[in-house]
Amino acid sequence: MEIVRRANEAWNAGDMDAFRELYAPDVILRTLEDWPEPGPHVGREAVMRFFGHIREAWDADTLEWMSDPVDVGDRVVVRFIWHGAGHGPESNMEMTGLYTVRKAKLLAVEHFWDHAEALDAVGLSEQDAHADS
């Protein structure tokens, strides 16, 4: 869970070098359903290009966790709001990230619009997730 927390902190600080170092060289990123750049994005450089394009969409953006992360073995599920401002109307997109961590690096990242679907991907229901909190 600490690696996911550090990635969130690096993103919000705009420290893309620290953010990059938290990803495994062979990371796989799966984006949201219906996202303009659907992926999957494979490898650290491809993932960082993807995130670089995202950062360019706003003058300022932050990720705000909506609840405590749910730790399931080597996977972490966290619901968040991505706030973006500038280049048009403000955006506040709610989504859930499912992160797989191995050897202190993010090995896989998958995003979901539906929080229950992300929990289901790790074999939990929303009720199970609240019981573990």
Side-chain angles (χ1 to χ4, degrees):
M1 194 175 320
E2 181 59 26
I3 300 302
V4 175
R5 187 174 312 279
R6 286 174 40 205
N8 187 73
E9 290 169 356
W11 180 272
N12 286 342
D15 188 346
M16 296 309 282
D17 290 334
F19 186 78
R20 179 187 188 285
E21 290 307 311
L22 295 169
Y23 286 84
D26 55 345
V27 62
I28 298 172
L29 169 70
R30 288 180 170 73
T31 58
L32 293 157
E33 184 177 315
D34 300 328
W35 196 257
E37 299 171 357
H41 304 278
V42 180
R44 185 186 291 154
E45 298 313 315
V47 168
M48 292 310 296
R49 270 193 307 278
F50 171 81
F51 283 129
H53 292 301
I54 293 229
R55 287 243 97 142
E56 292 171 3
W58 309 107
D59 291 330
D61 70 299
T62 57
L63 300 175
E64 176 188 355
W65 286 5
M66 296 174 63
S67 61
D68 289 331
V70 178
D71 191 350
V72 184
D74 63 354
R75 301 174 95 188
V76 176
V77 179
V78 65
R79 183 91 175 136
F80 61 90
I81 300 176
W82 178 34
H83 301 285
H87 300 313
E90 287 189 18
S91 175
N92 295 294
M93 290 185 277
E94 293 183 22
M95 61 189 80
T96 298
L98 169 56
Y99 306 87
T100 302
V101 180
R102 296 229 177 91
K103 297 180 181 178
K105 298 284 185 186
L106 292 163
L107 180 64
V109 178
E110 188 167 0
H111 292 107
F112 298 84
W113 291 119
D114 185 331
H115 185 65
E117 186 180 340
L119 291 171
D120 187 54
V122 294
L124 294 177
S125 67
E126 290 198 51
Q127 186 176 17
D128 294 332
H130 292 297
D132 291 341
S133 298

